[in-house]
Amino acid sequence: MLHIKCPHCGLRSQIEFAYGGDATVKRPELNKEISDQEWDNFVYLRKSPRGKHLELWHHISGCRQWIKVERDTLTHEIFNTMKADEELK
Amino acid sequence: MQKYSVFSLIKNAFSDHENWEVAWKDPTPKKEYDVVIIGGGGHGLATAYYLAKEHKITNVAVIEKGWIGGGNVGRNTTIIRSNYMHDENGLFSEFGMNLWRNMSQELNFNVMFSPRGIINLAHSDAQMNVYSRRGNSMRLNGIDAVLLGREEVKKLIPMADFSENVRFPIFGGLMQPSAGTARHDGVAWGYARQADSMGVDIIQHCEVTGFDVTNGIIKGVKTSKGNIKAKKIGLCVAGSTNLLAEMLNMTLPIETHLLQACVSEPIKPILDHVVTFGAGHFYCSQSDKGEMVMGGDLDGYNSYAQRGNLPTLQHVLTEGIAMMPFLSKLKMLRTWGGIMDMSMDGSPIIDKTHIKGLYLNCGWCYGGFKATPASGWTFAHTIAQDRVHELNSAYSLNRFSTGHLIDEKGLGTKTWIS
């Protein structure tokens, strides 16, 4: 069982959260000409690293806020959690 | 190569089974090969076998970082089926079904293919409509499908929960009678033994550390056992695809996720078919040893761990008990996990790449085992002829940018959501 420290609620067990995927992908900017390749990068292409991975989780059975979690995809160690609009330091 | 038969069994009994030939050799890698296949799982070994058999290319090495059959081909729930709705998936899988039917004879290795039928349970009228549509699509592609009513399902799997007042009552199901199971280790060993006998080098404990790419052409691979030159290289590494892609500066429409499976203690024969729960994600069959073989959801977050987390297992088994309450009385014997190459539309990729001589076979999600022969056959064709076969032409790498997705389940890009 993962234990995720929600920046709003504190340490909670994994079953309160839903996974939201890679947090490093950025939607192309609005009001700008966007190439097919840029959409491809955003919608489909993923690094999926073995090791540190910055990802979104949704505290769906808690405060219902989206958060960012920096987690190791091999050991499941969690290094950092932050609010969704915060950047990794 | 020594032929396996009842006579060779009797003959070897006289020498206490101490004089059997080794099933495959343990060669040191040569300096250069025509084709190097990375990944000694089912797909990689099948590819090597069909390269040798169908295309007469025998200067081939299969390199594997662990031991052959130690990855997903030895970690799945052994289910073989072709009950897909989309033409691309249906025709590809049905081609594979024909290879499965003759595999034991072809490989001279008993893979214990058991076409016991798969039943997908339906729990609402709407789901019966969906299954009816899928069944009709299957039949149009020449795949057997039978829509079963509640009473018919009850005759086949009487131990399921047919009470009226449950959350997900059984309305009926869709059955593919020709689907079934096979002994997964036997598949890997059978392909390895035949490939080896035709001259393929199977090199175990040999990890890839890098690639030699010059002017957009693949020249070779760097490994823990030295550099190996190759005219062509095929990747068959499932959950490790992204790790090798990174060495090649490629980003793929793949995420690696973890899937668990488990078996119960062995019990007397009770379940004659493969059965899936229609209101969640749970599937079950009974092995020849009597164990109930069960699986279900992905753990649901990127993982390379090859071992799972208990909340998912608990969730999956809750579904199993809802479907067949007797499962709650069983003790669990083993649980394990494997890492899945989840593609962004749930369908695989068998294609050439932008690097000349480099070929990609990945994106099998949690459905790779049944595809082993068809995947190997089409990948061997793609490598040998340097062009895709009609059967795998839809499994292209660029379908994500062109919009020709094969979204069998309609899950969008988040294929890890169940």
Side-chain angles (χ1 to χ4, degrees):
Chain A
M1 174 89 79
L2 301 178
H3 290 98
I4 301 172
K5 189 181 169 193
C6 173
H8 308 279
C9 314
L11 199 64
R12 299 300 175 96
S13 66
Q14 166 202 341
I15 52 173
E16 292 187 11
F17 295 84
Y19 184 63
D22 191 334
T24 61
V25 288
K26 291 271 183 280
R27 192 185 191 283
E29 266 180 60
L30 286 172
N31 306 320
K32 172 183 158 240
E33 190 66 26
I34 297 160
S35 67
D36 286 356
Q37 187 57 53
E38 284 173 284
W39 279 122
D40 200 21
N41 290 347
F42 166 63
V43 181
Y44 298 117
L45 301 186
R46 297 290 180 269
K47 288 277 182 205
S48 191
R50 181 171 68 186
K52 281 189 179 177
H53 187 234
L54 191 66
E55 54 203 20
L56 291 165
W57 287 77
H58 190 189
H59 197 182
I60 188 128
S61 302
C63 62
R64 302 188 65 83
Q65 296 295 308
W66 284 91
I67 62 167
K68 278 183 190 163
V69 176
E70 190 191 26
R71 183 180 60 89
D72 191 303
T73 57
L74 183 61
T75 64
H76 298 330
E77 183 184 352
I78 292 173
F79 306 102
N80 274 303
T81 57
M82 65 211 86
K83 294 174 186 169
D85 59 353
E86 289 176 339
E87 297 294 329
L88 190 66
K89 287 170 198 96
Chain B
M1 185 182 62
Q2 193 171 21
K3 190 170 158 54
Y4 291 163
S5 69
V6 65
F7 303 108
S8 64
L9 191 64
I10 293 167
K11 186 179 149 216
N12 278 280
F14 288 109
S15 52
D16 292 335
H17 295 289
E18 283 174 358
N19 295 325
W20 286 100
E21 277 178 20
V22 291
W24 51 87
K25 297 176 280 292
D26 188 19
T28 48
K30 290 192 266 184
K31 287 264 179 286
E32 184 167 3
Y33 290 93
D34 291 338
V35 181
V36 168
I37 303 295
I38 302 172
H43 290 219
L45 294 164
T47 303
Y49 168 74
Y50 290 113
L51 275 173
K53 175 170 175 270
E54 303 285 341
H55 306 280
K56 312 298 173 211
I57 301 174
T58 54
N59 186 22
V60 175
V62 177
I63 58 177
E64 162 60 45
K65 74 173 170 189
W67 61 93
I68 61 166
N72 292 347
V73 70
R75 292 167 186 260
N76 57 73
T77 48
T78 78
I79 299 166
I80 293 159
R81 59 186 176 86
S82 59
N83 54 357
Y84 287 98
M85 192 178 79
H86 287 333
D87 293 347
E88 300 89 342
N89 292 333
L91 294 171
F92 180 90
S93 309
E94 187 59 14
F95 175 79
M97 290 302 292
N98 288 323
L99 295 173
W100 278 112
R101 289 181 189 115
N102 198 34
M103 190 183 288
S104 292
Q105 286 74 25
E106 183 174 342
L107 299 181
N108 180 229
F109 201 103
N110 189 0
V111 299
M112 296 162 77
F113 177 55
S114 160
R116 58 184 67 181
I118 186 168
I119 302 168
N120 302 125
L121 294 179
H123 307 275
S124 66
D125 282 329
Q127 202 167 16
M128 285 297 283
N129 288 342
V130 170
Y131 280 174
S132 157
R133 181 177 173 224
R134 169 144 65 120
N136 284 331
S137 300
M138 289 165 60
R139 292 172 72 127
L140 285 171
N141 283 331
I143 304 163
D144 56 328
V146 186
L147 195 66
L148 305 172
R150 179 179 161 89
E151 290 308 314
E152 291 163 297
V153 173
K154 199 170 183 174
K155 279 189 197 133
L156 295 173
I157 43 170
M159 77 299 285
D161 191 350
F162 283 91
S163 4
E164 301 279 349
N165 56 349
V166 289
R167 175 66 185 83
F168 298 110
I170 294 170
F171 275 55
L174 180 67
M175 182 170 187
Q176 184 191 2
S178 68
T181 60
R183 185 177 181 210
H184 50 198
D185 304 311
V187 175
W189 297 336
Y191 275 123
R193 178 167 160 268
Q194 286 295 341
D196 176 272
S197 78
M198 288 187 282
V200 172
D201 279 357
I202 295 167
I203 301 157
Q204 305 183 72
H205 307 290
C206 177
E207 187 170 2
V208 170
T209 54
F211 290 89
D212 182 2
V213 180
T214 315
N215 299 327
I217 303 169
I218 199 88
K219 298 288 183 190
V221 60
K222 297 167 188 163
T223 76
S224 56
K225 292 191 173 179
N227 295 350
I228 302 171
K229 284 187 196 162
K231 295 185 186 76
K232 294 177 175 180
I233 292 181
L235 303 188
C236 286
V237 294
S240 300
T241 302
N242 281 302
L243 303 178
L244 294 193
E246 198 187 350
M247 296 178 194
L248 291 155
N249 293 320
M250 289 168 74
T251 311
L252 297 174
I254 303 276
E255 274 185 16
T256 294
H257 283 257
L258 185 112
L259 181 67
Q260 298 188 67
C262 56
V263 293
S264 74
E265 60 186 326
I267 52 172
K268 286 187 175 175
I270 180 166
L271 184 62
D272 297 333
H273 312 280
V274 181
V275 184
T276 75
F277 186 54
H281 205 166
F282 173 81
Y283 38 87
C284 184
S285 63
Q286 189 169 17
S287 76
D288 294 325
K289 287 182 280 184
E291 304 153 332
M292 305 302 287
V293 185
M294 299 172 280
D297 285 317
L298 294 169
D299 272 23
Y301 41 86
N302 293 41
S303 175
Y304 284 89
Q306 285 194 315
R307 61 175 184 160
N309 216 333
L310 278 177
T312 305
L313 201 57
Q314 189 176 27
H315 173 74
V316 166
L317 292 173
T318 305
E319 293 175 38
I321 290 164
M323 187 173 96
M324 295 191 289
F326 82 93
L327 292 176
S328 70
K329 307 290 182 199
L330 301 182
K331 292 187 185 74
M332 198 62 70
L333 195 65
R334 288 194 307 279
T335 78
W336 65 93
I339 54 173
M340 311 289 127
D341 36 339
M342 301 301 296
S343 70
M344 290 284 154
D345 63 353
S347 298
I349 296 163
I350 308 176
D351 204 357
K352 298 158 69 170
T353 65
H354 70 283
I355 299 171
K356 191 170 164 40
L358 182 77
Y359 304 84
L360 192 60
N361 179 337
C362 64
W364 291 98
C365 299
Y366 30 70
F369 175 66
K370 67 174 166 298
T372 303
S375 163
W377 195 94
T378 53
F379 197 41
H381 181 280
T382 305
I383 293 172
Q385 311 276 334
D386 194 36
R387 63 188 165 87
V388 295
H389 188 269
E390 193 184 341
L391 282 167
N392 64 312
S393 59
Y395 293 157
S396 64
L397 180 56
N398 72 355
R399 70 175 183 269
F400 299 91
S401 49
T402 61
H404 295 87
L405 304 187
I406 313 166
D407 196 355
E408 183 79 27
K409 286 191 172 177
L411 287 171
T413 59
K414 297 195 166 31
T415 42
W416 29 267
I417 293 178
S418 310

